[in-house]
Amino acid sequence: MTGDPSFPRLGAWVKLPAPESVELLALAGFDFVVIDAEHGAIGTRTMSTMIGLARGCGIEPFVRVAGTAPRDVQVPLDAGAAGLFVPQVDDAARAREAVRTTRFPPLGRRGASTSGRAGRWGLDTLGDYLRSGNDEVRLVVQAESAEALAAIVEIGEVPGVDAVFIGPTDLAVSSRFREGVGRPADLVAAAERRCGDHHITLGTTAASVGTSADASELLDRRGYDFVVLGADTTMLRQGAQALVNGVGTATTAATR
């Protein structure tokens, strides 16, 4: 596997079960969204609507799944997801399992049906549908532990894995309760260097563990190929808070 310069660069988590979030993020200029079926309260009907809306708005729809059970991956893939984010991939064996459930034979054992959005509602030939599922759908595995960072090259080089995403929050939680694993920031820096040496496509969130790095630093100086800037919920809260704080500041100034 080599680094993929065509991977969309700027993304956002979608946690609100509202398709309008996808539309608003597309209008804001994001390259991709990650519909969060792991931590967000988003049902399969809403997920499918979000995927279709994203495709219509010209933004790539990924889905973060809860796991690698067939039901977890089959529904978003049949609905036309551009790819999946698979959490808690600690080693190459777990990465190979993600590939098996995501890819068609010979790489995996994903079930086939051209009747959904992924097969253009039956318009695609079986051959085109299978080729698209194996060659165009992107599989992103999340490295979220010290063990995963130590094995990041082996994970990233599993055939069928397209990118590795360093998840700083779960990494911080897992490392906090483990002695002798080193500081999370040091583990991340070492993993970044190894991925660069082996041309592994790498992503993360804009706020890395132990740093105040912004997206530009991550993309331009630390070798990341793509970055998730934040969540729709956080953007709404921060925007609302800024408006309220602005009124408070103006009111205070007016009473002086």
Side-chain angles (χ1 to χ4, degrees), residues 6-200:
S6 70
F7 204 101
R9 282 166 67 85
L10 299 180
W13 305 114
V14 174
K15 296 177 178 289
L16 293 171
E20 290 81 0
S21 280
V22 172
E23 186 176 7
L24 289 165
L25 292 166
L27 290 170
F30 282 89
D31 301 311
F32 69 97
V33 291
V34 187
I35 301 162
D36 196 351
E38 182 192 17
H39 293 296
I42 298 173
T44 56
R45 174 68 263 173
T46 300
M47 177 198 302
S48 179
T49 300
M50 287 178 167
I51 291 170
L53 181 59
R55 288 162 63 110
C57 290
I59 186 171
E60 293 199 39
F62 290 77
V63 175
R64 177 158 66 176
V65 295
T68 55
R71 181 67 177 172
D72 292 327
V73 304
Q74 191 72 56
V75 172
L77 291 177
D78 283 350
L84 302 180
F85 278 53
V86 177
Q88 304 290 345
V89 176
D90 291 333
D91 51 39
R94 183 85 170 88
R96 285 191 288 270
E97 177 59 26
V99 171
R100 280 193 290 270
T101 58
T102 303
R103 302 300 188 192
F104 296 120
L107 282 176
R109 56 171 185 263
R110 173 185 166 188
S113 172
T114 62
S115 62
R117 187 181 288 116
R120 294 197 305 152
W121 310 109
L123 285 176
D124 281 353
T125 66
L126 180 60
D128 286 343
Y129 166 76
L130 296 176
R131 178 196 55 75
S132 174
N134 277 346
D135 296 345
E136 297 177 12
V137 170
R138 290 181 166 111
L139 174 59
V140 181
V141 296
Q142 296 185 205
E144 302 178 279
S145 67
E147 292 81 3
L149 294 186
I152 199 164
V153 171
E154 292 79 5
I155 291 170
E157 290 183 339
V158 168
V161 169
D162 294 295
V164 179
F165 180 89
I166 295 178
T169 302
D170 279 322
L171 173 63
V173 172
S174 68
S175 299
R176 181 179 181 184
F177 301 103
R178 297 285 304 280
E179 294 183 358
V181 298
R183 293 194 317 116
D186 296 334
L187 299 176
V188 169
E192 291 168 356
R193 290 191 296 270
R194 289 197 297 272
C195 287
D197 291 342
H198 291 266
H199 307 290
I200 290 171

